[in-house]
Amino acid sequence: MIFKEALLIKYGEISLRGDNRRLHEKRLLRIIRRRLSRFEGLRVTRENGRFYVESDAEDFDYESVMPVVFKVLGIVGICPCLMTDERGIGDICETALFHMNRAYTGKPFTFKVKTRRANKSYPMRSQEISAAVGEYILNGMEMSKVDVHNPDVTLCVEIRNHIYVYADTVKSLGGLPYGSSGRGMLLLSGGIDSPVAGFLMAKRGVDVTAVYFHSPPYTSERAKEKVTDLAKALSAYTGYFKLYVVPFTDTQLCLYKQVQPEKLTLLLKRAMLRIAEILAEKEKCHCLITGDSVGQVASQTTQSLAAVETAVTMPILRPLAGMDKQEIIELARKIETYDISIRPYEDCCTIFVAEHPETKPKKAAVEAAERHAQGLEEAIAEAVAGAEIIEAEA
Ligand code: ATP
Ligand code: MG
């Protein structure tokens, strides 16, 4: 065989960024290598703004490898390709024909050939190569037709240290390499929203650690299991994922006994944020992340968000702020957290929820209620001290 199967990986935004570019590329390469280390005999290399995965084996196990690469953030496209070291134009034509035959035999299609000659020492020019390959395919495949304006398939030929031929790009998630934009602490409940919020920030390069507030016996062991499973699901994108499980019952009861019911949710949120901030500092995070979506419930009106926000000094990122529930659900499905999130469980906030929570709370009144709650500081300190760590790694 003059060629072998490989995978070509295209990355997006990082190629645009001047100074950070090299660092980002290195980081992404390291992440891909680590994620693929579970497979034997795979080599990942970088060449001119692309990564290539080669296999020692005769056949490339696309079925197992593609889904793993697909979940690496910062990649925009993945292309199964054929690579060859035979540099004669005849060999390139034959490689291209083989590749097209595998995917398009038996059905009519239009195509064009696009050649990139990164290695300028190659004796033919890009257009000459495209013309030669195009003609070879036209002659070799009865149902093929050239259409340079609106082809069904664009066959790409890349002349580099090796030569690569590919036709289909599987669009992947995009974003920035994980960990290239600092660190954040995600408030991860078992709901639909917060895992999506965590994913979106991870996609912008934020290294995410999470905290879940657990209130036994009001929330069950199954609720905790569910959040652990969500952490696992997110680790498919982030690699390693750390989850703090904070015992929240005492803090919750402390507030429940002392504050007006219509302010309870807001005060619970403030307590969660305060605990999250302490853990965030410990984890050297620069921000907090929540799944709030403006207007979704009483505690997510802009007035409520404002009344909650002053509990902490760290910025709170709310990537779902402007999204509709339906959009959030679609994304949750796409990242495979939805089925976990909809398992039945009790939310610690819904058990302690008031019939008529305030929708336009006054910040000063909420803060005053918090100041008057006796034993709150101690409860918060104990909650932090009692946090359990759960780790997941994809
Ligand atoms: P979600 O679907 O993420 O649970 P939600 O629509 O149920 O969100 P709320 O219960 O008001 O809305 O929670 C808003 C945000 O507060 C959540 O997205 C999450 O970031 C945080 N949060 C709420 N409850 C918890 C909890 N028990 N542990 C950790 N974070 C929580
Ligand atoms: Mg919730």
Side-chain angles (χ1 to χ4, degrees):
M1 205 73 99
I2 58 164
F3 44 75
K4 65 190 246 187
E5 295 173 329
L7 198 62
L8 181 160
I9 297 173
K10 297 176 175 176
Y11 45 87
E13 261 191 59
I14 63 173
S15 57
L16 305 173
R17 291 188 166 194
D19 289 352
N20 285 337
R21 176 180 168 159
R22 204 161 301 160
L23 279 176
H24 277 25
E25 278 179 343
K26 269 197 179 153
R27 183 188 291 275
L28 190 52
L29 183 60
R30 209 168 48 231
I31 292 170
I32 296 170
R33 282 187 174 147
R34 190 183 168 101
R35 222 59 79 72
L36 292 182
S37 62
R38 74 180 78 165
F39 301 103
E40 259 178 49
L42 288 187
R43 255 187 328 281
V44 190
T45 53
R46 178 179 57 170
E47 206 187 318
N48 293 326
R50 302 248 196 263
F51 298 125
Y52 297 93
V53 187
E54 291 169 46
S55 169
D56 287 342
E58 184 91 336
D59 296 321
F60 195 100
D61 185 3
Y62 290 116
E63 213 171 303
S64 309
V65 175
M66 297 263 289
V68 176
V69 176
F70 182 81
K71 287 185 170 163
V72 176
L73 303 169
I75 291 174
V76 295
I78 314 169
C79 320
C81 66
L82 290 180
M83 63 177 276
T84 177
D85 286 330
E86 300 297 330
R87 304 184 78 78
I89 186 67
D91 294 322
I92 296 176
C93 287
E94 209 174 303
T95 305
L97 181 64
F98 187 88
H99 192 56
M100 294 297 274
N101 252 323
R102 259 198 323 197
Y104 299 99
T105 291
K107 49 188 175 191
F109 66 94
T110 59
F111 76 101
K112 78 170 179 189
V113 183
K114 209 167 93 185
T115 301
R116 274 176 156 228
R117 203 172 41 126
N119 186 337
K120 300 288 182 207
S121 67
Y122 194 82
M124 287 169 76
R125 290 159 53 144
S126 299
Q127 274 184 2
E128 294 168 338
I129 300 169
S130 294
V133 171
E135 196 177 320
Y136 198 76
I137 288 170
L138 270 179
N139 291 334
M141 294 179 78
E142 244 173 50
M143 298 204 208
S144 67
K145 222 171 109 183
V146 170
D147 180 348
V148 289
H149 299 298
N150 193 20
D152 299 326
V153 193
T154 301
L155 176 70
C156 300
V157 178
E158 295 193 357
I159 313 282
R160 300 176 182 269
N161 292 340
H162 307 282
I163 292 167
Y164 302 90
V165 172
Y166 61 93
D168 299 298
T169 302
V170 180
K171 191 169 173 283
S172 54
L173 298 167
L176 294 171
Y178 185 65
S180 60
S181 312
R183 303 172 58 85
M185 179 65 74
L186 167 70
L187 282 81
L188 181 63
S189 71
I192 295 169
D193 303 331
S194 43
V196 176
F199 167 79
L200 285 175
M201 293 328 302
K203 194 177 149 190
R204 292 310 301 162
V206 178
D207 184 325
V208 178
T209 302
V211 52
Y212 164 60
F213 296 93
H214 188 41
S215 305
Y218 305 101
T219 49
S220 65
E221 221 23 55
R222 283 184 50 211
K224 181 172 149 187
E225 243 173 66
K226 187 174 161 180
V227 179
T228 309
D229 286 348
L230 286 170
K232 259 188 225 150
L234 288 173
S235 78
Y237 304 94
T238 64
Y240 172 80
F241 196 91
K242 187 194 269 188
L243 169 69
Y244 283 90
V245 177
V246 169
F248 197 54
T249 318
D250 290 347
T251 309
Q252 196 163 13
L253 288 173
C254 167
L255 288 166
Y256 179 64
K257 285 177 191 154
Q258 299 183 66
V259 305
Q260 294 167 286
E262 60 274 15
K263 288 198 173 43
L264 182 61
T265 305
L266 297 177
L267 286 159
L268 288 173
K269 279 275 153 65
R270 286 178 65 97
M272 285 186 197
L273 288 171
R274 288 175 62 184
I275 294 167
E277 187 177 50
I278 296 168
L279 295 173
E281 263 155 18
K282 204 166 118 182
E283 287 290 331
K284 302 196 166 39
C285 296
H286 317 104
C287 62
L288 304 173
I289 303 161
T290 71
D292 294 309
S293 165
V294 171
Q296 201 185 78
V297 288
S299 61
Q300 294 173 20
T301 62
T302 53
Q303 294 92 332
S304 296
L305 295 177
V308 161
E309 183 113 1
T310 55
V312 291
T313 54
M314 263 189 200
I316 304 172
L317 304 183
R318 299 181 172 94
L320 310 185
M323 288 172 73
D324 297 343
K325 193 75 192 188
Q326 202 49 43
E327 293 173 290
I328 299 170
I329 288 174
E330 273 164 35
L331 204 46
R333 285 215 169 92
K334 189 169 144 195
I335 64 169
E336 296 170 0
T337 55
Y338 183 76
D339 288 340
I340 305 169
S341 291
I342 58 168
R343 284 186 216 155
Y345 84 121
E346 320 81 49
D347 185 315
C348 65
C349 287
T350 56
I351 289 169
F352 289 83
V353 85
E355 246 176 78
H356 301 290
E358 281 187 86
T359 55
K360 294 178 186 167
K362 295 265 183 310
K363 202 161 35 182
V366 174
E367 286 168 353
E370 187 179 75
R371 273 197 304 278
H372 291 126
Q374 285 179 6
L376 180 62
E377 300 308 315
E378 292 78 0
I380 286 181
E382 272 172 36
V384 171
E388 173 197 354
I389 292 175
I390 293 175
E391 295 171 297
E393 179 145 18

